[in-house]
Amino acid sequence: MRGEREIVVIGGGPSGSAAASVLARSGRDVLVLEKDRFPRRKVCGEFLAGRARGSLARLDALTAVAAEAEPIDRASLHLPRGRSVSFALPSAAFGISRARLDEVLAAAATSAGAEVAFGMRVIGLEETRSGSVRVGVAGAGGREETIPARAVVGAWGRWNALDRTLDRRFLRNGGRFFGWSGDYDAPGDLLRGEARLYLFPGGYAGLSRVEGGAVHLAGVIAERAQRRLPAGWTAVVAHARGSNPALDRDMALLRPRAGDGGFLGTGPVFFTRKPSSEGRLLMAGDAAGVIDPYLGEGLAVALESGILAGEILASAFAGKFAMGEATARYSRAWNARFSDRVRRGAAGRALMLHPGAARVAAALAGERLVRLAMGSA
Ligand SMILES: Cc1cc2nc3c(=O)[nH]c(=O)nc-3n(C[C@H](O)[C@H](O)[C@H](O)COP(=O)(O)OP(=O)(O)OC[C@H]3O[C@@H](n4cnc5c(N)ncnc54)[C@H](O)[C@@H]3O)c2cc1C
């Protein structure tokens, strides 16, 4: 067993790196355990909302992200029968691949003084009577070890075996989705400065540019709808293109990126609020609640909730309140800041997944409704 660490952060995605940066900057001893080795691809629309600007600045990552990212200032929604609504975004967003974004944020956490250990999968958690948490890890070659920590941030994303270990209730929720993504080359200025969202029966997909001129496709489909299709993501994309002429027209101009390894798929995604703390763990990012991807806010909220978890733990370590109070304070703050977005996402999803309803709503309330649903009103 290794010596005790002050804080272990499980997961080196945006929320974990954000929490680690804040804690390390406040002088704490922080170890981030990340199962993958960066850079790596990850299913995501790779659209980082402009509201993340403040968080990126706080994490000392704004200059690096802004220098590489593709600026996006417009969006459009394309309904299955050809109707579309375009609008300006409230502030310019960043198109940046997860391979680069996560690498930049992890590097910022390291520069802040955190230790980021890659290839380290957390496989077990045990709270002890003395108030610490024993974190079970499988490292290189499957070698297992235990790391005791005084506090733990759970930032392992939308789904992991750890959710089952902790028997988290959302796993019993039947409304499961699956997501996929892929990269393309585009001719000329196609999609420059614009994110496009396309609805199809049972799901939706988005196209936008990322750094280096690549166009990124990502989408989600309800498990129920996917079961009716032949296996594989190619069949899902064919179904989406076959039901949405605008998507078909745009994709006909794209060429799959050579050597990108084809489509990448997710495990099950539960669009749901989850407890923002589990025992003595503070949960951040998707581990505390998955915001519907069409809102394009999951990454921004992951950064904000990671920063919030870091701030609350830093205050507890500084003696401003007892460590045992940190989870209750965090849950209250999480609810106040993020619950409405999970609710708004769910309300809009009901329209997104039933294109007939979306068509009627768009006809009755038009652009204003779409802008409201997508949070840009
Ligand atoms: C199809 C789709 C499209 C999306 N598009 C967008 C978009 O365009 N814009 C947007 O803002 N949001 C989007 N999202 C949401 C966004 O991807 C998430 O909100 C965001 O990734 C959450 O960040 P996170 O740090 O909480 O988790 P993650 O990014 O999932 O990071 C978790 C990290 O933890 C690591 N990990 C997991 N388990 C363990 C373990 N046991 N031990 C060690 N490490 C572990 C993982 O390897 C990973 O690096 C999309 C989601 C989907 C499904």
Side-chain angles (χ1 to χ4, degrees):
M1 187 154 83
R2 289 206 214 176
E4 186 177 72
R5 304 299 295 249
E6 281 191 329
I7 301 123
V8 164
V9 177
I10 306 171
S15 60
S17 287
S21 283
V22 168
L23 283 159
R25 266 216 201 94
S26 72
R28 304 319 327 176
D29 159 54
V30 190
L31 171 65
V32 179
L33 296 169
E34 166 56 52
K35 68 176 172 56
D36 291 339
R37 291 185 188 281
F38 289 1
R40 53 92 177 90
R41 296 169 73 206
K42 184 157 179 68
V43 176
C44 182
E46 306 193 331
F47 169 97
L48 177 58
R51 56 172 285 180
R53 201 169 284 272
S55 300
L56 292 172
R58 167 93 195 264
L59 301 171
D60 249 351
L62 178 58
T63 309
V65 169
E68 283 189 48
E70 187 79 19
I72 301 174
D73 55 14
R74 302 183 311 284
S76 55
L77 175 72
H78 301 264
L79 302 181
R81 290 216 189 131
R83 189 177 166 146
S84 67
V85 178
S86 302
F87 50 91
L89 294 171
S91 62
F94 306 92
I96 182 163
S97 69
R98 290 298 299 275
R100 272 309 286 149
L101 177 66
D102 290 18
E103 201 176 30
V104 165
L105 293 168
T110 306
S111 301
E115 181 186 349
V116 183
F118 294 102
M120 301 285 275
R121 180 188 291 274
V122 174
I123 50 173
L125 292 163
E126 188 197 337
E127 295 188 12
T128 67
R129 287 214 191 116
S130 67
S132 75
V133 180
R134 290 157 62 97
V135 181
V137 189
R143 198 169 58 87
E144 294 186 11
E145 60 182 314
T146 301
I147 303 171
R150 287 180 61 198
V152 174
V153 176
W156 57 73
R158 53 184 87 107
W159 186 87
N160 187 262
L162 289 172
D163 292 309
R164 218 182 283 129
T165 307
L166 297 174
D167 193 22
R168 302 187 82 195
R169 267 168 302 155
F170 76 87
L171 293 172
R172 292 189 273 281
N173 175 343
R176 307 197 312 174
F177 291 76
F178 289 89
W180 85 94
S181 64
D183 290 296
Y184 296 83
D185 285 314
D189 276 343
L190 181 73
L191 284 157
R192 195 170 292 286
E194 187 184 350
R196 292 186 189 162
L197 188 67
Y198 313 84
L199 307 191
F200 59 85
Y204 54 86
L207 279 175
S208 53
R209 277 186 181 249
V210 294
E211 80 278 4
V215 166
H216 189 70
L217 168 75
V220 294
I221 183 164
E223 186 178 31
R224 245 177 294 148
Q226 194 182 4
R227 270 208 224 110
R228 291 195 287 269
L229 301 173
W233 292 113
T234 307
V236 173
V237 173
H239 162 68
R241 289 179 67 166
S243 346
N244 191 309
L247 177 61
D248 191 47
R249 191 190 55 228
D250 289 344
M251 286 204 64
L253 300 170
L254 303 174
R255 293 287 158 262
R257 278 227 134 172
D260 82 339
F263 293 122
L264 201 63
T266 62
V269 185
F270 300 82
F271 293 127
T272 177
R273 166 86 217 272
K274 307 166 186 174
S276 49
S277 57
E278 293 285 351
R280 284 199 293 270
L281 271 63
L282 273 63
M283 310 303 294
D286 278 9
V290 178
I291 293 170
D292 282 71
Y294 75 84
L295 288 172
E297 292 188 356
L299 290 167
V301 167
L303 294 176
E304 285 172 38
S305 62
I307 290 171
L308 180 66
E311 283 172 344
I312 287 184
L313 280 179
S315 297
F317 272 99
K320 293 190 182 147
F321 46 81
M323 190 60 78
E325 236 186 85
T327 49
R329 282 182 183 245
Y330 178 68
S331 294
R332 278 198 300 275
W334 198 101
N335 280 342
R337 299 239 315 243
F338 309 119
S339 302
D340 69 314
R341 255 167 268 169
V342 180
R343 273 198 297 272
R344 181 155 52 80
R349 186 189 334 129
L351 283 182
M352 299 277 169
L353 295 185
H354 299 287
R359 211 166 41 243
V360 172
L364 292 175
E367 180 183 348
R368 197 161 163 270
L369 180 101
V370 174
R371 286 161 56 96
L372 260 177
M374 295 181 72
S376 71

